[in-house]
RNA sequence: GCGCUCGUAGCUCAGCUGGAUAGAGCAGGGGACUUCUAAUCCUCAGGCCGCAGGUUCGAAUCCUGCCGAGCGCGCCA
């Protein structure tokens, strides 16, 4: 990795000047091309320490650096207020090509997180109805983050927590019962059409003599089945669907209470049992056992997290909608009281999705009954379109999901732009075979012929992929990979327009065949992280304008 | 009232652990197909980075205040 080589060299040069290097030597890829391939700002940072102007420091560093005989470095410039810019010869990119080919589908991966065993919990929407359209964001995001963490060597377990007990279920049961028995509808019940559908379906299959309890059980099974189907349609598989009931059945909740009592974290007040979370960073203490003797959501959730640790994970991550941010401190304080771990679980918050239809916001509410379900979306668009749309945006921005745009004008979706780049590569390969071009082994091919500025641009972008993935993994930011894929595709399309593979001189044909292969690897790996398909061909559009 | 998140082109958004001239897509103007799929490419236009201060060599980025938006402040889940 050239970047690391340069960092080491800079550190050496700093040492040679008798200065102390900063903890991390920043080596950026400048936006402006004339600023070279990599740019270092250490001279500016060290000016104070050295007691001389930044440009002087830079000049001394440059002297020290040029004595090191760095590979691939064509020129080193000092520019602006004291930046040190490295201009690399194209040879480093040709080395890169070999590196990418060698790595294949592991290009962009890393072993930094090896040994970590992470439990990633996401979606976990209550099984009181089908997943709504916004839920797709959590499915796509969670899966992509899992892929990112895996790419860094971590072992990741995808988990969905099913709250299959409690109040909401009671409301669900009452709503169902009203429909099933044609009785007046309860206040605050779920009005969604799905309630009637489920009730009708159950009546058709099991008759009309069921008790409320039997009714609710059958409905719950059916709803959970539906959720699993929706998740599957998006292309995601959970390793575990964890039922909250098991916690109660096994006595885990009681066990956690005992443990907290023993460690002196609880106290009684106003006929309830409290957990002293304020001392651990919460805004105030929380109730664990209500006056009526039942446990709170937090109490059950603590038992759940205890169970996750008991299963041996080294780290827990939960992805939550920002509407739950108020629970973060309580849960973390509770987990600390329970386990002594102050930084668990890690909670990734994402802003909610705002659905637009006909230029107006559609408020989703299971109670009001105006549901737009995820299944509705998937009936209209490809899972790839949905995933890419959800993943293109950072988690801390509330996402505007325009149903009209995504469904009717889906041709504009960037996913096609990226997929088309991949399809074009496959198409070139097919054409080459068709015309009898035989791809020679890499060792017989001169990649040094890849000197077109389009090729250089593409290769340079490709070289950044591992950094982008590592960064995205660290920041739990899959959108960075989505943007990289889009940008990379743009550069590829530009190359495609200017550079032909078939029909140029034989040695160049060979070099470019390998060039397209490494592009394919990069794209395919990026799409793999996003969970988007990398097609071999695109369906031709019939009626484009 | 307190807390969390956000405010960047007409629209949807990147960039935010400080760096050089603030980017992309869409929408708008103008061009490019006898070629490996034009779902493509090239080009033009478009910006007090919410407002005001502060920190420093340097601020869209960090700090403070204000304005505006969303969400949260239960012995609900």
């Amino acid at each position: 990795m050239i970047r690391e080589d340069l960092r080491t060299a800079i550190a050496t040069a700093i040492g040679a000047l008798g200065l102390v290097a900063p903890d991390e030597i920043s080596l950026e890829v400048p936006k402006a091309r004339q600023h070279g391939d990599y740019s270092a700002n250490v001279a500016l940072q060290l000016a104070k320490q050295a007691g001389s102007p930044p440009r002087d420091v830079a000049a001394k560093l440059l002297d020290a650096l040029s004595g090191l005989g760095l590979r691939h470095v064509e020129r080193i410039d000092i520019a602006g207020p004291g930046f040190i810019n490295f201009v690399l010869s194209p040879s480093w990119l040709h080395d890169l090509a070999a590196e990418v080919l060698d790595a294949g589908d592991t290009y962009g991966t890393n072993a930094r997180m090896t040994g970590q065993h992470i439990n990633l919990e996401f979606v976990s929407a209550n099984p009181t109805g089908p997943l709504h359209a916004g839920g797709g964001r959590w499915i796509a995001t969670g899966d992509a983050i899992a892929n990112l963490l895996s790419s860094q060597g971590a072992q990741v377990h995808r988990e969905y927590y099913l709250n299959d007990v409690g109040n909401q279920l009671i409301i669900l049961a009452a709503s169902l019962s009203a429909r099933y028995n044609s009785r007046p509808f309860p206040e605050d019940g779920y009005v969604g059409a799905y309630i009637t559908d489920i009730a009708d379906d159950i009546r058709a299959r099991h008759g009309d003599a069921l008790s409320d309890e039997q009714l609710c059980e059958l409905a719950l099974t059916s709803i959970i089945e539906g959720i699993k189907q929706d998740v599957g349609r998006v292309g995601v598989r959970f390793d575990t669907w964890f039922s909250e009931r098991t916690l109660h059945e096994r006595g885990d909740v009681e066990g956690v209470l005992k443990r907290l009592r023993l460690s002196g974290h609880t106290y009684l007040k106003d006929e309830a049992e409290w957990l002293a979370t304020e001392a651990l960073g919460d805004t105030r203490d929380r109730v664990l056992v209500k006056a009526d003797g039942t446990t709170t959501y937090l109490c059950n959730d603590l038992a759940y997290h205890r169970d996750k640790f008991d299963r041996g994970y080294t780290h827990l991550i939960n992805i939550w909608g920002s509407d739950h941010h108020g629970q973060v401190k309580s849960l973390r304080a509770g987990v600390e009281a329970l386990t002594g771990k102050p930084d668990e679980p890690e909670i990734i918050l994402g802003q909610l999705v705002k659905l637009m239809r006909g230029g107006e916001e559609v408020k989703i509410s299971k109670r009001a009954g105006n549901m737009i379900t995820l299944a509705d979306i998937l009936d209209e668009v490809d899972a790839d379109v949905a995933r890419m749309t959800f993943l293109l945006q950072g988690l801390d921005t509330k996402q505007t999901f325009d149903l009209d745009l995504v469904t009717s004008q889906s041709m504009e979706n960037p996913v096609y732009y990226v997929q088309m780049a991949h399809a074009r590569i496959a198409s070139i390969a097919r054409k080459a075979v068709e015309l009898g071009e035989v791809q020679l082994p890499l060792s017989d091919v001169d990649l040094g012929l890849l000197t077109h500025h389009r090729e250089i641009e593409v290769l340079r972008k490709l070289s950044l992929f591992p950094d982008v993935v590592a960064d995205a993994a660290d920041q739990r930011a899959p959108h960075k990979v989505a943007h990289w894929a889009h940008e990379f595709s743009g550069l590829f399309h530009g190359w495609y327009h200017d550079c032909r593979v078939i029909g140029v001189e034989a040695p160049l044909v060979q070099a470019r065949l390998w060039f397209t292969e490494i592009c394919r690897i990069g794209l395919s790996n990026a799409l793999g992280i996003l969970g988007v398909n990398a097609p071999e061909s695109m369906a031709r559009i019939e009626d484009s304008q």
Side-chain angles (χ1 to χ4, degrees):
Chain A
M1 287 256 92
I2 184 88
R3 197 175 201 164
E4 281 316 305
D5 294 347
L6 291 178
R7 277 209 178 92
T8 311
I10 293 167
T12 309
I14 292 171
L17 296 192
L19 295 171
V20 182
D23 293 341
E24 198 155 327
I25 291 169
S26 148
L27 199 59
E28 300 206 328
V29 179
K31 282 174 233 162
R33 197 147 311 144
Q34 72 265 26
H35 294 140
D37 293 285
Y38 287 103
S39 176
N41 65 350
V42 276
L44 286 91
Q45 293 171 329
L46 292 173
K48 202 169 278 178
Q49 190 192 137
S52 47
R55 283 193 72 106
D56 291 357
V57 179
K60 283 181 192 148
L61 284 173
L62 193 150
D63 277 348
L65 282 167
S66 34
L68 294 173
L70 290 165
R71 228 164 89 77
H72 300 309
V73 174
E74 195 169 274
R75 203 174 74 238
I76 307 177
D77 298 328
I78 295 173
F83 291 101
I84 301 174
N85 297 334
F86 296 85
V87 179
L88 305 179
S89 71
S91 61
W92 78 284
L93 292 168
H94 302 140
D95 277 13
L96 170 85
E99 210 178 285
V100 174
L101 283 167
D102 192 49
D105 58 14
T106 66
Y107 179 64
T109 65
N110 206 295
R112 298 180 307 148
M113 296 186 184
T114 302
Q116 284 196 48
H117 195 184
I118 298 173
N119 180 291
L120 181 69
E121 185 208 323
F122 57 108
V123 190
S124 297
N126 284 328
T128 52
L131 292 173
H132 69 70
R137 185 175 204 185
W138 311 128
I139 301 176
T141 299
D143 195 50
I145 289 178
N147 290 336
L148 279 170
L149 296 170
S150 300
S151 81
Q152 304 301 294
Q155 199 178 331
V156 185
H157 190 86
R158 293 162 172 80
E159 186 149 326
Y160 190 120
Y161 183 43
L162 284 166
N163 297 110
D164 49 4
V165 284
N167 259 348
Q168 312 218 31
L169 262 284
I170 291 166
I171 298 172
L172 174 69
S175 310
L176 275 164
S177 173
R179 291 299 189 212
Y180 181 75
N181 297 305
S182 305
R183 284 202 303 257
F185 207 72
E187 248 180 78
D188 257 19
Y190 298 127
V191 180
Y194 69 91
I195 293 284
T196 313
D197 294 344
I198 291 173
D200 290 349
D201 183 59
I202 290 177
R203 201 201 328 267
R205 288 203 279 186
H206 303 274
D208 55 7
L210 297 171
S211 69
D212 280 8
E213 201 177 323
Q214 290 171 311
L215 180 64
C216 188
E217 281 311 299
L218 287 167
L220 190 61
T221 307
S222 147
I223 289 171
I224 291 174
E225 213 37 60
I227 291 175
K228 287 184 177 175
Q229 253 174 44
D230 291 348
V231 166
R233 285 178 77 183
V234 184
V236 176
R237 271 191 54 82
F238 281 93
D239 297 298
T240 298
W241 294 79
F242 192 95
S243 157
E244 184 184 348
R245 282 182 191 178
T246 60
L247 296 172
H248 296 86
E249 287 163 4
R250 293 191 311 214
D252 288 2
V253 177
E254 198 50 44
V256 155
L257 273 169
K258 259 184 212 148
R259 197 183 170 91
L260 288 168
R261 283 172 192 143
L262 276 174
S263 57
H265 287 283
T266 63
Y267 61 92
L268 296 169
K269 191 180 92 180
D270 302 332
E271 293 174 36
E273 185 165 4
W274 295 70
L275 179 65
T277 50
E278 188 172 353
L280 295 168
D282 200 357
T283 47
R284 63 179 183 82
D285 291 348
R286 306 285 163 176
V287 170
L288 289 178
V289 185
K290 296 179 262 182
D292 67 3
T294 60
T295 52
T296 57
Y297 183 88
L298 174 65
C299 185
N300 303 337
D301 212 19
L302 287 174
Y304 176 43
H305 284 81
R306 175 76 207 285
D307 178 76
K308 288 188 196 170
F309 277 118
D310 285 349
R311 280 185 269 152
Y313 299 108
T314 57
H315 184 45
L316 309 183
I317 304 180
N318 298 349
I319 301 179
W320 287 358
S322 63
D323 52 338
H324 290 100
H325 79 257
Q327 297 159 244
V328 173
K329 284 182 174 174
S330 306
L331 178 62
R332 285 168 59 102
V335 167
E336 183 173 357
L338 205 50
T339 66
K341 297 174 195 290
D343 300 317
E344 296 283 353
E346 172 185 341
I347 293 170
I348 299 171
L349 291 173
Q351 299 290 312
L352 301 180
V353 177
K354 179 173 152 186
L355 291 169
M356 304 284 287
R357 170 165 275 169
E360 280 183 19
E361 180 169 2
V362 187
K363 289 276 186 194
I364 285 182
S365 160
K366 277 182 200 167
R367 305 217 169 165
N370 56 341
M371 281 284 282
I372 294 177
T373 65
L374 179 59
D376 292 338
I377 302 277
L378 294 173
D379 287 344
E380 294 191 61
V381 302
D382 210 63
D384 285 336
V385 174
R387 280 186 86 130
M388 192 70 173
T389 305
F390 285 123
L391 291 175
L392 222 34
Q393 202 165 125
L395 280 178
D396 48 14
T397 313
K398 75 173 163 241
Q399 183 160 39
T400 308
F401 199 95
D402 190 323
L403 295 158
D404 300 323
L405 198 77
V406 171
T407 55
S408 67
Q409 294 181 42
S410 62
M411 291 311 172
E412 288 167 11
N413 194 295
V415 73
Y416 295 113
Y417 187 80
V418 177
Q419 289 185 321
M420 188 192 176
H422 189 271
R424 277 182 153 172
I425 293 167
S427 169
I428 291 169
R430 278 195 301 272
K431 192 75 179 181
V433 169
E434 203 178 293
L435 296 179
E437 287 287 357
V438 178
Q439 188 166 4
L440 300 173
L442 187 60
S443 53
D444 294 345
V445 173
D446 182 10
L447 294 177
L449 296 172
L450 300 172
T451 54
H452 195 283
H453 73 276
R454 295 286 204 180
E455 278 154 359
I456 300 298
E457 277 176 356
V458 170
L459 290 170
R460 189 186 281 152
K461 191 76 180 177
L462 187 60
S463 78
L464 298 177
F465 183 62
D467 291 332
V468 169
V469 175
D471 195 41
D474 288 345
Q475 296 186 36
R476 283 74 162 117
H479 75 277
K480 295 194 178 221
V481 176
H483 280 274
W484 180 89
H486 190 252
E487 287 159 14
F488 182 75
S489 300
L491 294 175
F492 180 82
H493 285 307
W495 169 84
Y496 181 91
H497 187 264
D498 286 357
C499 299
R500 297 198 56 78
V501 176
I502 289 150
V504 296
E505 310 81 73
L508 189 55
V509 171
Q510 291 298 325
R512 285 185 172 165
L513 280 175
W514 283 106
F515 172 82
T516 58
E517 173 60 11
I518 65 172
C519 290
R520 189 197 62 74
I521 291 170
L523 266 179
S524 154
N525 292 358
L527 288 171
I529 287 169
L530 300 173
V532 173
N533 287 299
E536 299 289 305
S537 68
M538 301 294 282
R540 201 184 283 269
I541 32 165
E542 304 291 325
D543 48 351
S544 73
Q545 230 292 41

